[in-house]
Amino acid sequence: MKIIVTGGAGFIGSNFVFYERKKHPEDEILCVDSLTYAGNLSTLEPVMNDDKFKFFKIDIRDRDSVYRLFEDEKPDIVVNFAAESHVDRSIENPTIFLETNIIGTSVLMDACRKYGIKRYHQVSTDEVYGDLPLDRPDMFFHEDTPIHTSSPYSTSKASADLLVMAYHRTYGLPVTISRCSNNYGPYQFPEKLIPLMIANALADKPLPVYGEGKNVRDWLYVEDHCKAIDLIIRNAKDGETYNIGGHNEMKNIEIVKLICDYLDKPYSLIEHVEDRKGHDMRYAIDPTKIHNDLGWLPETAFADGIKKTIQWYLDNKPWWENIISGDYMNYYEKMYGNRKVLD
Ligand code: NAD
Ligand code: DAU
């Protein structure tokens, strides 16, 4: 099987590439990534020389390049991770979110229609459901919870989801969608809560908590997300949507304190700063459907996953220090000199 993984130089996409290479070594992985600020080719170094791995520097909005790739490679499955993914950046500049997350998705699906595909999978987010109140712990996001977005980011992702379902109904495109809660783990860009707090704490810099830090997120170890997507692309019926989450709700302030404790840093580093505009209060996923249909269950308990993650950032300082210094941007030039880069 040939699988196109878009956004494979980013956080979850790269973890998915590693998961697939290990779990299904017989499959060929074609990674498509335009290497925005969030894409880091050095992350993919461990698989770069594999026979069954190819990297293509392509923007998913670039119709000609995407069509050429499909024509040349004739993929069986597309898993679309490529996106602008950071809520705060979407508040600063929504346009690129609409272009990549909506238009890019439509270009990929047009290619799937034109050249034929067994499965197009859209990696979506629990943020499409909006937020839940803090005082109703009995409430969860179900697959039929109405879409009710808050930020330009979540709105762009919800728009893409609607488009995916429209291509399914109108053109019969064989699609699936997954909506996952907050991921954490290795290779997450240090603009997101957990890696940002680890990097700042290690440098004894202030830890900027938005507002009171009472907002709740439902954290899932990234490998558990990858495993769920793998099950969906191979076993789910066309047209299905699955929520993915591990029932692990935590307040932001609890996460930040836990990181301080682990790194032996004082809580005095914590600085409550101006809140995010339109800040969603609580996310909480009901993953019953994916458990019942596909047998998925999260395997990594948060207590273990967070320790592994903090230890990974301690053991891989050059990876995130290069990001903070901007050096990782030069890595692409270096890699393209003598590596298997095909477009
Ligand atoms: P990320 O920002 O770490 O990575 C995104 C990747 O997409 C980068 O490698 C970037 O270079 C690439 N990209 C961006 N625009 C592109 C374009 N126009 N063409 C080709 N490549 C492009 O994001 P992530 O956190 O790994 O998220 C991956 C996907 O999962 C996104 O679709 C996101 O909405 C979704 N998601 C993320 C989370 C989370 O907690 N991080 C949770 C649920 C869903
Ligand atoms: O729920 C899934 C979503 O999770 C994904 O769709 C997004 O791509 C991903 O970025 C993530 O969105 P969040 O906005 O929840 O993640 P972020 O790490 O940006 O923030 C997590 C929480 O921490 C949120 O309540 C805002 C808060 N926060 C974040 C940062 C960066 C802070 O308090 N301080 C910070 O500096």
Side-chain angles (χ1 to χ4, degrees), residues 48-336:
M48 256 320 183
N49 285 326
D50 285 7
D51 287 346
K52 300 257 182 190
F53 178 84
K54 290 180 192 160
F55 178 80
F56 299 86
K57 185 177 186 292
I58 291 177
D59 191 312
I60 60 165
R61 295 167 297 169
D62 176 353
R63 192 172 290 273
D64 291 344
S65 299
V66 169
Y67 282 13
R68 200 173 333 119
L69 174 71
F70 273 67
E71 196 163 330
D72 292 348
E73 296 288 346
K74 301 183 179 43
D76 300 295
I77 296 179
V78 173
V79 186
N80 182 25
F81 291 93
E84 289 293 333
S85 71
H86 193 38
V87 174
D88 292 323
R89 288 181 190 257
S90 83
I91 294 166
E92 290 303 307
N93 176 16
T95 310
I96 183 69
F97 284 74
L98 310 185
E99 288 172 1
T100 288
N101 299 1
I102 307 173
I103 305 294
T105 297
S106 76
V107 169
L108 286 172
M109 290 194 297
D110 285 341
C112 292
R113 285 174 57 211
K114 189 170 158 69
Y115 295 98
I117 197 88
K118 292 199 181 88
R119 168 61 50 83
Y120 172 86
H121 182 73
Q122 178 71 3
V123 180
S124 186
T125 168
D126 60 357
E127 298 201 12
V128 302
Y129 300 121
D131 63 351
L132 296 164
L134 283 183
D135 60 356
R136 288 291 307 274
D138 56 314
M139 287 177 76
F140 295 94
F141 296 137
H142 308 282
E143 284 79 1
D144 58 1
T145 298
I147 283 182
H148 186 77
T149 59
S150 311
S151 69
Y153 163 71
S154 56
T155 304
S156 69
K157 293 294 289 183
S159 306
D161 285 10
L162 294 176
L163 207 54
V164 171
M165 291 317 294
Y167 272 57
H168 176 58
R169 176 161 174 157
T170 307
Y171 307 118
L173 197 72
V175 304
T176 41
I177 297 175
S178 53
R179 295 178 178 150
C180 191
S181 58
N182 285 63
N183 285 213
Y184 69 100
Y187 301 110
Q188 188 167 31
F189 197 85
E191 66 185 349
K192 305 284 167 65
L193 181 75
I194 289 178
L196 180 100
M197 295 301 166
I198 296 171
N200 280 18
L202 286 172
D204 294 310
K205 282 194 191 158
L207 308 176
V209 171
Y210 297 162
E212 291 180 81
K214 288 185 179 158
N215 306 65
V216 169
R217 296 293 182 264
D218 185 357
W219 295 94
L220 184 72
Y221 193 63
V222 63
E223 201 175 40
D224 282 326
H225 185 188
C226 296
K227 186 182 158 208
I229 293 173
D230 180 65
L231 287 172
I232 294 170
I233 59 174
R234 291 165 196 276
N235 303 316
K237 284 196 300 219
D238 294 342
E240 292 290 342
T241 294
Y242 286 100
N243 284 353
I244 308 171
H247 282 304
N248 185 66
E249 292 179 49
M250 291 187 74
K251 291 189 176 82
N252 294 338
I253 190 73
E254 292 170 340
I255 298 264
V256 177
K257 286 185 172 167
L258 202 146
I259 292 170
C260 289
D261 292 344
Y262 193 90
L263 294 174
D264 203 16
K265 297 290 179 180
Y267 293 166
S268 56
L269 286 177
I270 296 172
E271 210 169 70
H272 291 272
V273 299
E274 192 188 330
D275 212 349
R276 174 183 280 174
K277 291 188 179 70
H279 199 171
D280 281 338
M281 217 53 227
R282 169 177 168 248
Y283 303 145
I285 282 277
D286 173 8
T288 307
K289 181 178 169 185
I290 189 165
H291 175 60
N292 289 345
D293 285 7
L294 304 176
W296 178 85
L297 274 178
E299 284 172 11
T300 303
F302 186 77
D304 300 329
I306 192 70
K307 273 189 204 149
K308 270 203 284 192
T309 302
I310 296 174
Q311 196 56 49
W312 186 89
Y313 281 88
L314 285 169
D315 295 341
N316 292 274
K317 274 189 175 178
W319 183 86
W320 54 268
E321 282 175 347
N322 277 344
I323 290 177
I324 290 169
S325 73
D327 278 355
Y328 76 113
M329 292 283 194
N330 305 327
Y331 185 87
Y332 173 66
E333 294 308 324
K334 222 167 62 191
M335 290 297 287
Y336 266 42

